[in-house]
Every structure is written in C-alpha cells, then in structure tokens.
Amino acid sequence: AGQLQAMQEQMVEAQEALGDKTGEISSGGGAVTVVMSGHQKLQSITIDPEVVDPEDVEMLQDLIIAAINEAVEASQNLAADEN
C-alpha cells in the first residue's frame, strides 16, 4: 500500500508542476498570442491592434481559434512529457 501512496503523491506533484508551466503560442505571425498553463487553462490572449479589421472579423476569429488549438496541443504535450 505504501508504494501505491507514493505513486499517487508523485502524480499529484506532477500535476501541480504542470500548473506552473505555461506555453505561449502565437498565430498569424504574432498577430494573436495565447498563454496556456499545463492544466489547459487559458491565461491570456494578446491581439495585435493592427490585425483588428472591422471588415474582416472572421480572419481574427480564425487566428484566435488556431492559436488556442495549438496551445491546447502544446499543453497536452507538456503533460505527456511529465509522465
């Protein structure tokens, strides 16, 4: 039972360590930058004012989606590396 408890403690520590790690991903050549923690919590989104075009909101939405999806993937890789 002691070994199982030790493994559980290691898992908890690894999870906590993941929460401290963040990945910064940008799309559109830095037009949109998102920061996501190892727990896949979105921490910030930065949007370059130059890409905010009222005529083309769809492009901005696509850039945000691309950056977030990439950040989720990167945080999953962080989690995989921890294990």
Side-chain angles (χ1 to χ4, degrees):
Q3 203 174 8
L4 183 64
Q5 194 173 358
M7 279 177 59
Q8 286 175 329
E9 284 171 16
Q10 282 179 327
M11 288 286 293
V12 169
E13 282 173 28
Q15 283 293 319
E16 285 173 4
L18 266 181
D20 295 336
K21 291 187 177 178
T22 58
E24 186 174 297
I25 305 288
S26 60
S27 67
V32 175
T33 303
V34 298
V35 176
M36 186 168 285
S37 77
H39 288 312
Q40 296 177 357
K41 287 204 175 7
L42 193 58
Q43 296 191 319
S44 72
I45 297 181
T46 309
I47 299 171
D48 182 342
E50 288 179 27
V51 296
V52 181
D53 180 355
E55 303 292 305
D56 194 1
V57 175
E58 276 181 21
M59 185 194 73
L60 182 56
Q61 291 168 340
D62 288 345
L63 288 173
I64 293 169
I65 290 168
I68 291 173
N69 284 337
E70 227 175 291
V72 168
E73 219 168 279
S75 70
Q76 286 170 343
N77 291 340
L78 272 177
D81 291 347
E82 279 298 310
N83 294 339

